[in-house]
Amino acid sequence: MSKKVNRLRGMYDVTPDQVWVWQKLEQIVTGILDRYGYQEIRFPVLEKTQLFHSSIGEVTDVVEKEMFSFENRKGESVSMRPEGTASTVRLALQNGLLFNDPQKLWYNCPMFRYEKPQKGRNRQFSQVGVEVFGFEGPDVDAELLLMNWHMWQELGLKNVRLELNTLGTPECRNAYREVLITHFEEHLDVLDEEAKSRLYKNPMRILDSKNPAMKPVIATAPLIQDYLSQEAKDHFSELLAILDACGLEYQVNPKLVRGLDYYSHNVFEWITDDLGAQGTICAGGRYDKLVEMQGGKPTPATGFAMGVDRLVELIVDQQLWQHESQTDVYLIRDKVIPASDAMKLAEKIRQSVPGLKMMVNMGAASFKSQFKKADKSGAKFAIILGEAEMAAGDFSVKALQDRDFGQQQLSYEQMVSILSTATQQ
Ligand code: ATP
Ligand code: MG
């Protein structure tokens, strides 16, 4: 006997009992993107490894240790996308989207990172991401946050808070970098190996460390706030002013730095305490230099990515949504009626009632067993095809939930009219 093969560690399946949560969530989120005038793009799972190295940055968790990279048959290094920003910039440049027009783009697709699997952290996970090109902000940065808030409202999430910070312009970051290096040099003894290896390459990444032993040295580190130029301060305070005017609550967290290299000006995270340690459900910020770094002309850019898996987990854990039946009607037939008659009738009804969700019983077991399946399907009505009905040319319709309706003999037109109402409920 051959052995069962199970799925890879850190990967997951979505079974029919949960897929409706994914579908509803995607419908809500992408519906809002549509209403704000954002357009969908799709890019490949595989890209040249170099794309991620040059945009995400060499000294980041993602590039250093999390990529699924391998050589293709020609010996070129290719990688499964670990995030969507690099691919979006490549797509926009390669397809000439950035010549004159600004762009508001979104994607919804799986990402791949070789991480240590735990609750809320998988090796394949889905992100809905938004990337906007050609606006210097901060109005567009505010729009992204307001759109996020709108999404949480429509999803029915509670206890989500917004943390914001500014990393300033690349010049501010350079000045800050120097003082950070000096600070950490004074505490070399408490830095772990990872921090030491980052000290001169990307010291801001040390602030993002999750090592508890380094908490005190991070807590006493200088803050970017003290190294901001007037331009950077103005950009940030204008963003906060728009959020205030729109009544969106936030907390400025001066220690917030994002994991990837390309950010400047505002960065943010939406966090919930209801998911344990992996509480960030959405993160993003501005990345004005990336397009230029990827060979395009200077183009301001900003965006975010939300972790769809974590949102689904939150909705399921907190039982925020109730599953409603997807079936309107279930067709039952007496075994003396040929299957061809039932199938033909079902197709005719489907044409007469657009949008009708109808299940046809396969085979013709006893009425009792067919009714059981009809009940289990959650259908509002059963149509029963029996010998007498076929002979009389009418249809027996039984309400499975509405007691007052009971079972009625109806003409085809009457039946169609009742089923049409059922699809609208
Ligand atoms: P962390 O610091 O938690 O590793 P990150 O900086 O790597 O986060 P981003 O690259 O900004 O995360 O991704 C944006 C969002 O995508 C995260 O806030 C999270 O919701 C989700 N996400 C990231 N990595 C994973 C993962 N391995 N599994 C599930 N969701 C993830
Ligand atoms: Mg990460």
Side-chain angles (χ1 to χ4, degrees):
M1 213 171 63
S2 58
K3 226 174 144 228
K4 261 193 317 193
V5 179
N6 288 326
R7 63 172 179 259
L8 291 167
R9 212 163 104 78
M11 306 281 168
Y12 55 85
D13 304 309
V14 184
T15 47
D17 58 327
Q18 286 214 343
V19 82
W20 68 273
V21 182
W22 289 79
Q23 290 170 341
K24 182 169 166 178
L25 188 149
E26 288 169 349
Q27 215 175 15
I28 290 176
V29 168
T30 63
I32 291 175
L33 289 165
D34 192 38
R35 268 140 52 203
Y36 275 78
Y38 288 63
Q39 289 180 299
E40 185 180 1
I41 50 166
R42 299 185 185 199
F43 39 71
V45 171
L46 276 185
E47 297 271 9
K48 291 182 182 166
T49 300
Q50 183 202 346
L51 175 71
F52 302 114
H53 278 244
S54 63
S55 69
I56 297 173
E58 302 280 350
V59 194
T60 55
D61 285 347
V62 172
V63 164
E64 278 181 330
K65 51 191 184 199
E66 294 175 357
M67 293 232 285
F68 279 89
S69 299
F70 51 92
E71 285 189 358
N72 68 11
R73 286 169 192 268
K74 274 173 77 183
E76 296 163 334
S77 180
V78 295
S79 298
M80 294 167 77
R81 57 180 179 225
E83 52 104 61
T85 306
S87 302
T88 304
V89 171
R90 187 207 44 71
L91 175 149
L93 287 175
Q94 197 159 5
N95 293 278
L97 301 188
L98 302 182
F99 283 135
N100 292 311
D101 295 329
Q103 297 286 346
K104 293 182 169 182
L105 308 171
W106 66 267
Y107 48 83
N108 172 21
C109 56
M111 306 298 172
F112 304 85
R113 296 184 193 175
Y114 201 86
E115 303 214 50
K116 195 167 155 233
Q118 52 198 286
K119 192 173 158 66
R121 203 174 274 291
N122 304 315
R123 288 182 176 169
Q124 172 175 335
F125 60 97
S126 271
Q127 284 184 338
V128 170
V130 166
E131 317 288 354
V132 175
F133 301 97
F135 303 97
E136 282 172 359
D139 45 359
V140 74
D141 298 291
E143 179 171 270
L144 296 183
L145 294 167
L146 291 163
M147 193 160 69
N148 281 145
W149 176 244
H150 200 138
M151 290 170 180
W152 314 146
Q153 297 293 101
E154 261 189 54
L155 293 172
L157 301 192
K158 291 167 231 137
N159 307 327
V160 193
R161 65 172 192 279
L162 170 62
E163 292 194 4
L164 277 173
N165 193 19
T166 177
L167 304 179
T169 60
E171 295 73 43
C172 310
R173 282 181 70 156
N174 278 342
Y176 180 54
R177 189 191 130 88
E178 297 305 317
V179 292
L180 256 192
I181 292 177
T182 310
H183 170 77
F184 287 124
E185 274 176 343
E186 284 162 9
H187 299 90
L188 271 185
D189 50 323
V190 289
L191 296 193
D192 60 18
E193 284 313 307
E194 190 178 70
K196 279 184 192 150
S197 77
R198 286 173 173 178
L199 183 56
Y200 298 103
K201 292 182 193 152
N202 191 351
M204 266 172 87
R205 295 284 298 114
I206 302 177
L207 299 177
D208 212 13
S209 164
K210 292 174 180 87
N211 180 354
M214 285 176 27
K215 268 208 163 139
V217 66
I218 291 173
T220 54
L223 298 176
I224 181 87
Q225 256 75 355
D226 299 325
Y227 301 88
L228 295 177
S229 63
Q230 195 55 43
E231 178 203 342
K233 282 183 192 160
D234 290 347
H235 196 280
F236 194 51
S237 54
E238 205 181 322
L239 170 64
L240 301 187
I242 301 176
L243 299 182
D244 288 337
C246 296
L248 190 71
E249 287 180 24
Y250 55 84
Q251 292 160 5
V252 175
N253 173 0
K255 289 274 157 54
L256 181 73
V257 292
R258 300 280 313 121
L260 315 181
D261 249 6
Y262 46 59
Y263 288 101
S264 53
H265 286 295
N266 60 293
V267 290
F268 63 87
E269 291 192 2
W270 288 95
I271 303 165
T272 169
D273 294 322
D274 297 334
L275 272 175
Q278 317 304 334
T280 304
I281 50 168
C282 178
R286 183 159 274 282
Y287 52 95
D288 292 335
K289 288 283 178 246
L290 184 60
V291 175
E292 206 177 338
M293 276 161 57
Q294 294 303 310
K297 65 173 189 194
T299 307
T302 182
F304 64 74
M306 70 177 75
V308 178
D309 309 52
R310 289 188 194 172
L311 288 172
V312 168
E313 213 171 293
L314 196 62
I315 288 159
V316 172
D317 281 2
Q318 297 193 345
Q319 298 182 333
L320 294 182
W321 296 349
Q322 296 300 317
H323 190 27
E324 280 160 25
S325 161
Q326 291 297 307
T327 313
D328 298 315
V329 62
Y330 194 97
L331 187 74
I332 286 171
R333 84 178 144 96
D334 190 341
K335 53 181 169 303
V336 301
I337 307 288
S340 54
D341 285 356
M343 301 304 283
K344 216 167 99 189
L345 174 69
E347 288 309 303
K348 187 175 165 195
I349 297 174
R350 285 191 172 105
Q351 291 216 334
S352 305
V353 191
L356 181 72
K357 294 191 176 114
M358 173 164 56
M359 281 173 76
V360 177
N361 194 78
M362 294 291 125
S366 69
F367 272 135
K368 192 175 160 199
S369 113
Q370 293 190 55
F371 267 113
K372 252 195 186 157
K373 288 185 197 153
D375 280 329
K376 204 172 157 203
S377 78
K380 296 171 199 119
F381 294 100
I383 301 173
I384 306 134
L385 279 190
E387 225 171 351
E389 287 85 357
M390 284 303 264
D394 59 15
F395 300 87
S396 190
V397 177
K398 184 179 180 190
L400 299 175
Q401 289 158 18
D402 176 1
R403 275 171 183 273
D404 295 341
F405 184 96
Q407 184 165 341
Q408 300 185 17
Q409 301 297 116
L410 304 171
S411 70
Y412 186 77
E413 287 68 32
Q414 287 170 321
M415 175 175 73
V416 159
S417 139
I418 282 176
L419 295 180
S420 300
T421 337
T423 61
Q424 279 144 33
Q425 280 163 5

